[in-house]
PDB file of all heavy atoms in Angstrom:
ATOM      1  N   ALA A 294      -7.990  18.446 -32.652  1.00  0.00           N
ATOM      2  CA  ALA A 294      -9.375  18.874 -32.912  1.00  0.00           C
ATOM      3  C   ALA A 294     -10.355  17.890 -32.277  1.00  0.00           C
ATOM      4  O   ALA A 294     -11.383  18.281 -31.705  1.00  0.00           O
ATOM      5  CB  ALA A 294      -9.619  18.979 -34.411  1.00  0.00           C
ATOM      6  N   LYS A 295     -10.042  16.594 -32.342  1.00  0.00           N
ATOM      7  CA  LYS A 295     -10.932  15.578 -31.747  1.00  0.00           C
ATOM      8  C   LYS A 295     -10.961  15.737 -30.227  1.00  0.00           C
ATOM      9  O   LYS A 295     -12.006  15.594 -29.597  1.00  0.00           O
ATOM     10  CB  LYS A 295     -10.453  14.176 -32.116  1.00  0.00           C
ATOM     11  CG  LYS A 295     -10.583  13.847 -33.595  1.00  0.00           C
ATOM     12  CD  LYS A 295     -10.070  12.452 -33.837  1.00  0.00           C
ATOM     13  CE  LYS A 295      -9.994  12.125 -35.308  1.00  0.00           C
ATOM     14  NZ  LYS A 295      -9.354  10.845 -35.547  1.00  0.00           N
ATOM     15  N   ILE A 296      -9.793  16.029 -29.638  1.00  0.00           N
ATOM     16  CA  ILE A 296      -9.748  16.231 -28.180  1.00  0.00           C
ATOM     17  C   ILE A 296     -10.670  17.399 -27.806  1.00  0.00           C
ATOM     18  O   ILE A 296     -11.466  17.306 -26.868  1.00  0.00           O
ATOM     19  CB  ILE A 296      -8.293  16.499 -27.707  1.00  0.00           C
ATOM     20  CG1 ILE A 296      -7.425  15.257 -27.926  1.00  0.00           C
ATOM     21  CG2 ILE A 296      -8.265  16.926 -26.229  1.00  0.00           C
ATOM     22  CD1 ILE A 296      -5.935  15.482 -27.702  1.00  0.00           C
ATOM     23  N   CYS A 297     -10.568  18.484 -28.568  1.00  0.00           N
ATOM     24  CA  CYS A 297     -11.399  19.662 -28.285  1.00  0.00           C
ATOM     25  C   CYS A 297     -12.876  19.295 -28.353  1.00  0.00           C
ATOM     26  O   CYS A 297     -13.669  19.712 -27.504  1.00  0.00           O
ATOM     27  CB  CYS A 297     -11.101  20.787 -29.285  1.00  0.00           C
ATOM     28  SG  CYS A 297      -9.406  21.362 -29.170  1.00  0.00           S
ATOM     29  N   ASN A 298     -13.242  18.498 -29.358  1.00  0.00           N
ATOM     30  CA  ASN A 298     -14.652  18.080 -29.496  1.00  0.00           C
ATOM     31  C   ASN A 298     -15.088  17.239 -28.311  1.00  0.00           C
ATOM     32  O   ASN A 298     -16.151  17.463 -27.739  1.00  0.00           O
ATOM     33  CB  ASN A 298     -14.838  17.247 -30.771  1.00  0.00           C
ATOM     34  CG  ASN A 298     -14.998  18.148 -31.974  1.00  0.00           C
ATOM     35  OD1 ASN A 298     -15.322  19.327 -31.828  1.00  0.00           O
ATOM     36  ND2 ASN A 298     -14.746  17.612 -33.154  1.00  0.00           N
ATOM     37  N   VAL A 299     -14.263  16.249 -27.950  1.00  0.00           N
ATOM     38  CA  VAL A 299     -14.639  15.327 -26.865  1.00  0.00           C
ATOM     39  C   VAL A 299     -14.880  16.083 -25.557  1.00  0.00           C
ATOM     40  O   VAL A 299     -15.841  15.820 -24.844  1.00  0.00           O
ATOM     41  CB  VAL A 299     -13.550  14.233 -26.666  1.00  0.00           C
ATOM     42  CG1 VAL A 299     -13.764  13.482 -25.356  1.00  0.00           C
ATOM     43  CG2 VAL A 299     -13.558  13.258 -27.822  1.00  0.00           C
ATOM     44  N   ILE A 300     -14.009  17.040 -25.249  1.00  0.00           N
ATOM     45  CA  ILE A 300     -14.144  17.723 -23.946  1.00  0.00           C
ATOM     46  C   ILE A 300     -15.057  18.945 -24.020  1.00  0.00           C
ATOM     47  O   ILE A 300     -15.226  19.670 -23.035  1.00  0.00           O
ATOM     48  CB  ILE A 300     -12.760  18.112 -23.361  1.00  0.00           C
ATOM     49  CG1 ILE A 300     -12.059  19.150 -24.250  1.00  0.00           C
ATOM     50  CG2 ILE A 300     -11.884  16.878 -23.158  1.00  0.00           C
ATOM     51  CD1 ILE A 300     -10.842  19.789 -23.583  1.00  0.00           C
ATOM     52  N   GLY A 301     -15.617  19.200 -25.201  1.00  0.00           N
ATOM     53  CA  GLY A 301     -16.566  20.316 -25.334  1.00  0.00           C
ATOM     54  C   GLY A 301     -15.893  21.674 -25.409  1.00  0.00           C
ATOM     55  O   GLY A 301     -16.470  22.680 -24.987  1.00  0.00           O
ATOM     56  N   LYS A 302     -14.676  21.730 -25.922  1.00  0.00           N
ATOM     57  CA  LYS A 302     -13.989  23.020 -26.101  1.00  0.00           C
ATOM     58  C   LYS A 302     -13.667  23.193 -27.588  1.00  0.00           C
ATOM     59  O   LYS A 302     -12.506  23.432 -27.974  1.00  0.00           O
ATOM     60  CB  LYS A 302     -12.696  23.060 -25.280  1.00  0.00           C
ATOM     61  CG  LYS A 302     -12.887  23.061 -23.783  1.00  0.00           C
ATOM     62  CD  LYS A 302     -13.458  24.357 -23.237  1.00  0.00           C
ATOM     63  CE  LYS A 302     -12.427  25.444 -23.103  1.00  0.00           C
ATOM     64  NZ  LYS A 302     -13.007  26.678 -22.496  1.00  0.00           N
ATOM     65  N   TRP A 331     -13.364  16.854 -17.712  1.00  0.00           N
ATOM     66  CA  TRP A 331     -14.118  15.854 -18.489  1.00  0.00           C
ATOM     67  C   TRP A 331     -13.825  14.439 -17.969  1.00  0.00           C
ATOM     68  O   TRP A 331     -14.748  13.664 -17.721  1.00  0.00           O
ATOM     69  CB  TRP A 331     -13.751  15.966 -19.978  1.00  0.00           C
ATOM     70  CG  TRP A 331     -14.439  14.938 -20.818  1.00  0.00           C
ATOM     71  CD1 TRP A 331     -15.727  14.984 -21.275  1.00  0.00           C
ATOM     72  CD2 TRP A 331     -13.894  13.683 -21.266  1.00  0.00           C
ATOM     73  NE1 TRP A 331     -16.029  13.855 -21.992  1.00  0.00           N
ATOM     74  CE2 TRP A 331     -14.924  13.028 -22.004  1.00  0.00           C
ATOM     75  CE3 TRP A 331     -12.669  13.056 -21.128  1.00  0.00           C
ATOM     76  CZ2 TRP A 331     -14.736  11.777 -22.586  1.00  0.00           C
ATOM     77  CZ3 TRP A 331     -12.484  11.811 -21.717  1.00  0.00           C
ATOM     78  CH2 TRP A 331     -13.511  11.174 -22.434  1.00  0.00           C
ATOM     79  N   ILE A 343     -14.103   5.837 -24.949  1.00  0.00           N
ATOM     80  CA  ILE A 343     -14.457   7.012 -25.770  1.00  0.00           C
ATOM     81  C   ILE A 343     -13.209   7.521 -26.516  1.00  0.00           C
ATOM     82  O   ILE A 343     -13.237   7.748 -27.718  1.00  0.00           O
ATOM     83  CB  ILE A 343     -15.047   8.126 -24.881  1.00  0.00           C
ATOM     84  CG1 ILE A 343     -16.360   7.632 -24.259  1.00  0.00           C
ATOM     85  CG2 ILE A 343     -15.271   9.407 -25.684  1.00  0.00           C
ATOM     86  CD1 ILE A 343     -16.895   8.513 -23.137  1.00  0.00           C
ATOM     87  N   LEU A 344     -12.122   7.688 -25.793  1.00  0.00           N
ATOM     88  CA  LEU A 344     -10.914   8.275 -26.401  1.00  0.00           C
ATOM     89  C   LEU A 344     -10.346   7.388 -27.498  1.00  0.00           C
ATOM     90  O   LEU A 344      -9.870   7.871 -28.527  1.00  0.00           O
ATOM     91  CB  LEU A 344      -9.869   8.538 -25.308  1.00  0.00           C
ATOM     92  CG  LEU A 344     -10.312   9.556 -24.243  1.00  0.00           C
ATOM     93  CD1 LEU A 344      -9.344   9.591 -23.071  1.00  0.00           C
ATOM     94  CD2 LEU A 344     -10.447  10.950 -24.864  1.00  0.00           C
ATOM     95  N   TYR A 347     -11.639   7.794 -30.953  1.00  0.00           N
ATOM     96  CA  TYR A 347     -11.112   8.939 -31.709  1.00  0.00           C
ATOM     97  C   TYR A 347      -9.590   8.872 -31.890  1.00  0.00           C
ATOM     98  O   TYR A 347      -8.963   9.861 -32.245  1.00  0.00           O
ATOM     99  CB  TYR A 347     -11.490  10.240 -30.996  1.00  0.00           C
ATOM    100  CG  TYR A 347     -12.969  10.461 -30.932  1.00  0.00           C
ATOM    101  CD1 TYR A 347     -13.661  10.268 -29.747  1.00  0.00           C
ATOM    102  CD2 TYR A 347     -13.680  10.838 -32.076  1.00  0.00           C
ATOM    103  CE1 TYR A 347     -15.037  10.455 -29.688  1.00  0.00           C
ATOM    104  CE2 TYR A 347     -15.053  11.017 -32.023  1.00  0.00           C
ATOM    105  CZ  TYR A 347     -15.727  10.820 -30.823  1.00  0.00           C
ATOM    106  OH  TYR A 347     -17.083  10.992 -30.774  1.00  0.00           O
ATOM    107  N   ILE A 349      -7.306   8.863 -29.741  1.00  0.00           N
ATOM    108  CA  ILE A 349      -6.577   9.753 -28.820  1.00  0.00           C
ATOM    109  C   ILE A 349      -5.758   8.865 -27.881  1.00  0.00           C
ATOM    110  O   ILE A 349      -6.317   8.032 -27.166  1.00  0.00           O
ATOM    111  CB  ILE A 349      -7.572  10.634 -28.020  1.00  0.00           C
ATOM    112  CG1 ILE A 349      -8.379  11.506 -29.000  1.00  0.00           C
ATOM    113  CG2 ILE A 349      -6.828  11.485 -26.983  1.00  0.00           C
ATOM    114  CD1 ILE A 349      -9.583  12.203 -28.378  1.00  0.00           C
TER     115      ILE A 349
END
Side-chain angles (χ1 to χ4, degrees):
K295 293 179 188 173
I296 294 171
C297 297
N298 278 341
V299 167
I300 65 168
K302 293 289 281 183
W331 178 80
I343 296 168
L344 297 170
Y347 297 105
I349 299 168

